[in-house]
Amino acid sequence: MTLQTTNRIKMPLGFWDSIRQLGLTAQDVARKARLPLTIITEPVVTTIQYFAIWQAYSELIDDTAQGIIKLATGFETAHYPPAVLAAYHARDYRDALKRMTRYKQLCPPESLHIIEKSEDCTIELDWLNTEQPGPPILTGITLAFLLELGRKGTGQSLTAKFVEFPHFTGDVQTLEAYFECPIQIGAKCSKLTLHREDLDRPFVSYNAELLEILTPVLDQSLNAQQYNRSITHMVKWIMKRSLSGGRPDIHTIASELGMSERTLQRRLTEEGSNFKHLLTQVRHEQAREYLSDPSLDIKEVAFLIGYEDQNSFYRAFRAWEGDTPSKWRTEHSEETR
């Protein structure tokens, strides 16, 4: 099986209605994106088309910050797709964010990862199965909507603690006023950091009966979609995301994929692989990538790929490359000059 299905993205039905409310037409966006007008009535697009639509919207709206805020706040709940409805009608903010993270997999290319630590809850945005990052306006709307979800669900004016963007060319002060927190531009990845205590706030929009209907249907769709993806690719992607300072175990990854360890092992075997081999492969690939960054010392590289003992990393790397990490780095840095 291949990952071609993940290149099929379903546009939210309310997207075109929302941009009309902002004074734009669907035809204008399609033309600006250099896409056929049939794209308006065809709900499924490719990743390239999806990014082109958002970039066109960004250019037509003129003010990127206002474009983010207006669309994030103006998207009516009546137009929410089922996956977002399940989050909006969740029990509390934590439950809503977990549902958003889980069901976002039904509509790539954005992927969300939640990290709760100390007094913070950080949500990282990544891009699934594409080397090209999404347009800054798409990143901004995704992060703004996560905060807006909490505000609408709780009925309270929640604030963020910190927002990070790799790239952004709009009015940062306007965006800071919306998030009510500092915004860093030039970060390695896109992040929204919330007050962890806010996650316990109950949702006034909680609807247990609706969730009983939506959850099984969404879970069934997610399981079917995951089965049609390359499980090897998915496991490697999760491993790379969770390597730092530890060794990803099959139980944790199987749980994140929503399947049993036995099912995961069987799926990997069907694709001619196994968990141990993939972990070694991921560590090797990440080691080469990190060593190519001169700002990282070797001890830090060892930690980032899950080795607490630097000597163990040296032995593993010598087995992979037939050389020490420091010599490999020196030789390859000379090759790129």
Side-chain angles (χ1 to χ4, degrees), residues 254-315:
S255 177
E256 186 161 350
L257 289 170
M259 61 181 68
S260 67
E261 292 181 37
R262 179 175 295 181
T263 299
L264 177 55
Q265 289 173 332
R266 176 176 57 80
R267 294 283 304 279
L268 289 174
T269 300
E270 289 174 355
E271 295 184 9
S273 187
N274 62 68
F275 191 85
K276 184 178 180 180
H277 170 74
L278 289 182
L279 180 58
T280 300
Q281 190 177 56
V282 166
R283 280 177 156 172
H284 185 188
E285 291 173 359
Q286 292 299 97
R288 290 173 61 97
E289 181 177 338
Y290 290 138
L291 286 171
S292 299
D293 184 349
S295 67
L296 298 174
D297 61 42
I298 293 177
K299 184 177 181 180
E300 188 175 3
V301 171
F303 173 80
L304 287 172
I305 64 170
Y307 286 99
E308 296 181 3
D309 178 8
Q310 190 172 339
N311 290 330
S312 297
F313 169 55
Y314 268 79
R315 288 193 294 271

Side-chain angles (χ1 to χ4, degrees), residues 226 229-235 257 259 264 267-268 271:
Q226 288 178 336
R229 291 179 181 174
S230 163
I231 199 67
T232 298
H233 182 98
M234 292 299 297
V235 168
L257 289 170
M259 61 181 68
L264 177 55
R267 294 283 304 279
L268 289 174
E271 295 184 9

Side-chain angles (χ1 to χ4, degrees), residues 108-315:
E110 305 104 311
S111 170
L112 305 173
H113 180 48
I114 300 176
I115 303 169
E116 290 190 49
K117 187 176 182 180
S118 187
E119 298 178 352
D120 296 343
C121 171
T122 300
I123 307 169
E124 296 183 0
L125 188 153
D126 199 359
W127 303 99
L128 265 176
N129 310 316
T130 175
E131 297 297 325
Q132 178 187 359
I137 197 165
L138 174 57
T139 299
I141 287 173
T142 302
L143 298 185
F145 184 79
L146 293 173
L147 179 60
E148 194 64 25
L149 176 66
R151 288 174 173 173
K152 288 183 177 179
T154 64
Q156 300 180 39
S157 300
L158 303 184
T159 64
K161 289 188 73 172
F162 201 60
V163 176
E164 301 170 61
F165 290 102
H167 307 286
F168 189 77
T169 56
D171 186 344
V172 175
Q173 290 184 334
T174 297
L175 215 53
E176 286 181 331
Y178 169 78
F179 283 103
E180 297 188 47
C181 72
I183 292 179
Q184 177 189 348
I185 309 300
K188 289 187 176 180
C189 63
S190 302
K191 295 181 184 179
L192 169 66
T193 300
L194 302 168
H195 300 271
R196 192 178 183 185
E197 62 184 7
D198 286 342
L199 271 60
D200 295 318
R201 296 183 185 275
F203 268 26
V204 295
S205 53
Y206 175 50
N207 188 326
E209 292 182 354
L210 184 59
L211 289 178
E212 287 182 4
I213 298 172
L214 286 175
T215 302
V217 175
L218 290 170
D219 284 343
Q220 184 177 8
S221 297
L222 183 61
N223 291 336
Q225 180 174 337
Q226 288 178 336
Y227 190 86
N228 289 327
R229 291 179 181 174
S230 163
I231 199 67
T232 298
H233 182 98
M234 292 299 297
V235 168
K236 287 182 67 175
W237 181 79
I238 295 173
M239 283 178 173
K240 288 180 180 181
R241 198 181 63 188
S242 53
L243 269 180
S244 299
R247 181 187 180 95
D249 61 87
I250 191 169
H251 173 76
T252 301
I253 291 182
S255 177
E256 186 161 350
L257 289 170
M259 61 181 68
S260 67
E261 292 181 37
R262 179 175 295 181
T263 299
L264 177 55
Q265 289 173 332
R266 176 176 57 80
R267 294 283 304 279
L268 289 174
T269 300
E270 289 174 355
E271 295 184 9
S273 187
N274 62 68
F275 191 85
K276 184 178 180 180
H277 170 74
L278 289 182
L279 180 58
T280 300
Q281 190 177 56
V282 166
R283 280 177 156 172
H284 185 188
E285 291 173 359
Q286 292 299 97
R288 290 173 61 97
E289 181 177 338
Y290 290 138
L291 286 171
S292 299
D293 184 349
S295 67
L296 298 174
D297 61 42
I298 293 177
K299 184 177 181 180
E300 188 175 3
V301 171
F303 173 80
L304 287 172
I305 64 170
Y307 286 99
E308 296 181 3
D309 178 8
Q310 190 172 339
N311 290 330
S312 297
F313 169 55
Y314 268 79
R315 288 193 294 271

Side-chain angles (χ1 to χ4, degrees), residues 5-10 45 47 50-51 103-111 127-129 225 229:
T5 53
T6 60
N7 194 38
R8 293 171 57 80
I9 301 167
K10 192 171 183 178
V45 298
T47 300
Y50 185 66
F51 285 171
Y103 298 131
K104 191 69 192 73
Q105 300 174 71
L106 288 168
C107 185
E110 305 104 311
S111 170
W127 303 99
L128 265 176
N129 310 316
Q225 180 174 337
R229 291 179 181 174

Side-chain angles (χ1 to χ4, degrees), residues 91-107:
R91 181 180 296 274
D92 53 35
Y93 197 11
R94 176 179 284 103
D95 184 25
L97 290 174
K98 286 184 177 180
R99 289 175 184 273
M100 280 293 292
T101 300
R102 176 167 174 76
Y103 298 131
K104 191 69 192 73
Q105 300 174 71
L106 288 168
C107 185

